[in-house]
Amino acid sequence: MKYVSAFDLKRNYESMKDEIKEALDRVLESQRFILGEEVEKFEKEVSSYLEVAHAVGCGSGTDALFLSLMSLDIKEGDEVITTPYTFFATASSIAKLGAKPVFVDIDPLTYNIDTDKVVEYITPRTKAVIVVHLFGLMTPVEKLEPLLKDKGIHLIEDCAQSFGAWRKIDGKIRRCGTIGTFGCFSFYPTKNLGGYGDGGLVTTNLSSLAERIKRLRAHGCSGEYIHEELGMNSRLDAIQAAVLRCRLRHVDDWNRKRRIIAERYRLLFNVYKISEFVKAPSEDEGSYHVYHQYVVRCERRDDLSKYLDENGIGTRVYYPLPLHLQPVFKYLDYRRGDFPEAEKLSQDSLALPMYPELTPDEQEYVVKTIAKFYR
Ligand SMILES: Cc1ncc(COP(=O)(O)O)c(C=O)c1O
């Protein structure tokens, strides 16, 4: 039996071992581990890659969201609109500040928040909208931007799963994380740009907010042992920055490979005649999907996933329970049926193996096994 894991970081490491060891050695020789020159260089390199004025490293993607909301003084009594179909951190960062997460259903084709519906949920208490560019596909933020600007509501982009993704807006390529007030990135090891531990980053074009994030990530410090406000301890460390600087040089190539793999899956679904059972993810016009995950919609999802596991193939379900139905958010008083598209997707979505080093043979084995299940 062949084995195809859901992801494989080891192959990636093998392809760049020497580079990584050299970078780690540089940090060890410097004996400077928290923030410092390595982090500053990484921040500059990311801001130039993304074409955004400021990039501020922090401890994780969760912290990037939390720091962004903190810097906007989001607090109890405020509402922040977001999607119920995302990783928990998107909504928990809102709730941890005492504000209310307000969910809006998703678009069943792109799996992202339905931008046409957002307007129905805006109240005088709405302070921000967090869109999530889920699985590597950007939300069409240009549809929301004018409405939010008009009402003085901040747009925050959760880019944890979409480093390198872009959309053509007014004929110009705009990378995710450069359009809203903030872009929030995660460098969790399995992300498209992943580190070797936790890490995150906030992007913004506004100097005053970048300064505030820098202060908040270090205990609200404005000078040595002078504290202007209550902040956090959420600093990017030099070892992560050194690793990420190496990996940033490869991320475009990896994203290209992910796109080739996605296209091959699509072709194989046709060749093995399973398109009626397994729907490939869609990529809307003008979008550059970076396929952080390759999430299909399929019939008898749980049985299929079990069958693939028995045949040595790793799959994942992102996410089996939408956020409005999570026990911790019971107090928000949502019910099953409130967001039918998110609920349906949580029942029939399945992430197939996706990483730049996945081989055509492995992909064919995955699709052949799916075909066997449905015959
Ligand atoms: C959409 C989304 N938002 C936020 C996060 C949080 O990032 P981190 O794990 O770095 O805290 C993740 C990571 O899993 C994510 O996928």
Side-chain angles (χ1 to χ4, degrees):
M1 185 167 72
K2 248 185 158 68
Y3 285 96
V4 186
S5 58
F7 47 80
D8 186 337
L9 295 178
K10 211 143 187 213
R11 285 187 204 177
N12 184 277
Y13 175 55
E14 289 298 333
S15 74
M16 58 182 312
K17 225 175 188 168
D18 293 343
E19 244 178 287
I20 294 282
K21 285 189 169 163
E22 208 182 297
L24 290 179
D25 203 39
R26 188 170 67 233
V27 177
L28 294 176
E29 287 301 324
S30 80
Q31 288 292 298
R32 187 99 205 253
F33 295 111
I34 305 287
L35 297 175
E37 196 185 342
E38 201 69 39
V39 172
E40 280 165 25
K41 283 188 175 156
F42 173 61
E43 290 172 338
K44 273 208 183 88
E45 287 161 11
V46 172
S47 65
S48 121
Y49 172 91
L50 294 173
E51 298 184 61
V52 67
H54 306 279
V56 183
C58 63
S60 67
T62 305
D63 285 358
L65 289 159
F66 196 68
L67 287 164
S68 299
L69 294 169
M70 259 178 113
S71 77
L72 297 175
D73 296 313
I74 304 281
K75 57 183 181 320
E76 204 178 325
D78 294 337
E79 293 178 0
V80 178
I81 290 174
T82 193
T83 163
Y85 201 81
T86 173
F87 179 62
F88 179 62
T90 314
S92 70
S93 57
I94 303 167
K96 268 197 317 196
L97 283 167
K100 182 178 171 188
V102 174
F103 298 115
V104 173
D105 210 356
I106 55 161
D107 170 343
L109 287 179
T110 63
Y111 316 151
N112 283 324
I113 196 168
D114 186 336
T115 48
D116 292 336
K117 289 201 176 124
V118 168
V119 66
E120 297 165 30
Y121 293 80
I122 291 176
T123 75
R125 292 181 294 280
T126 309
K127 292 289 163 6
V129 174
I130 306 182
V131 297
V132 181
H133 305 310
L134 198 71
F135 303 143
L137 179 67
M138 267 184 82
T139 304
V141 278
E142 71 280 6
K143 290 192 189 164
L144 279 179
E145 218 193 357
L147 167 79
L148 301 187
K149 230 181 212 149
D150 211 38
K151 294 185 179 291
I153 297 170
H154 291 279
L155 173 68
I156 298 175
E157 298 173 71
D158 182 339
C159 309
Q161 302 189 4
S162 56
F163 195 98
W166 50 258
R167 265 183 85 73
K168 238 185 194 164
I169 301 175
D170 295 333
K172 250 189 88 183
I173 286 176
R174 304 282 303 273
R175 285 195 193 274
C176 72
T178 66
I179 299 158
T181 306
F182 292 115
C184 300
F185 291 86
S186 161
F187 302 126
Y188 186 80
T190 55
K191 302 299 190 208
N192 289 40
L193 178 63
Y196 287 172
D198 273 316
L201 180 114
V202 180
T203 51
T204 182
N205 282 308
L206 298 170
S207 305
S208 57
L209 286 177
E211 283 312 308
R212 181 126 195 241
I213 299 272
K214 275 188 184 166
R215 204 162 69 205
L216 287 169
R217 77 175 169 182
H219 298 290
C221 229
S222 60
E224 216 167 333
Y225 298 112
I226 305 298
H227 302 273
E228 297 279 339
E229 58 182 328
L230 294 176
M232 310 168 56
N233 174 10
S234 181
R235 304 167 298 209
L236 188 63
D237 70 70
I239 285 189
Q240 295 314 323
V243 167
L244 288 163
R245 288 181 69 201
C246 286
R247 296 175 60 80
L248 179 61
R249 294 195 280 270
H250 297 277
V251 74
D252 278 345
D253 181 43
W254 294 333
N255 283 343
R256 249 191 316 270
K257 286 182 174 146
R258 286 174 184 272
R259 288 176 58 80
I260 291 169
I261 290 165
E263 188 50 33
R264 192 179 295 123
Y265 267 133
R266 240 184 288 267
L267 293 174
L268 285 168
F269 292 168
N270 286 334
V271 171
Y272 283 90
K273 299 190 171 49
I274 56 167
S275 303
E276 68 177 290
F277 308 107
V278 177
K279 298 263 170 296
S282 58
E283 179 169 349
D284 49 353
E285 217 186 300
S287 261
Y288 188 82
H289 199 322
V290 293
Y291 294 97
H292 171 55
Q293 301 292 349
Y294 189 81
V295 176
V296 298
R297 304 192 74 155
C298 53
E299 289 180 19
R300 295 162 54 211
R301 191 263 318 271
D302 294 338
D303 292 341
L304 172 62
S305 156
K306 188 161 169 276
Y307 183 78
L308 292 176
D309 182 55
E310 286 162 2
N311 283 279
I313 297 165
T315 59
R316 293 283 158 102
V317 174
Y318 304 105
Y319 298 92
L321 189 65
L323 296 187
H324 65 290
L325 301 176
Q326 290 289 343
V328 69
F329 289 139
K330 226 174 173 164
Y331 70 97
L332 293 172
D333 221 16
Y334 286 109
R335 298 210 155 53
R336 199 167 279 282
D338 282 344
F339 303 113
E341 296 301 348
E343 289 167 30
K344 250 185 267 162
L345 187 59
S346 72
Q347 296 298 309
D348 68 11
S349 65
L350 190 67
L352 301 183
M354 165 58 84
Y355 39 95
E357 299 77 16
L358 190 69
T359 68
D361 271 2
E362 287 170 325
Q363 271 194 279
E364 186 152 13
Y365 176 64
V366 172
V367 179
K368 232 193 229 171
T369 312
I370 297 175
K372 244 193 204 164
F373 171 79
Y374 285 113
R375 295 287 167 252

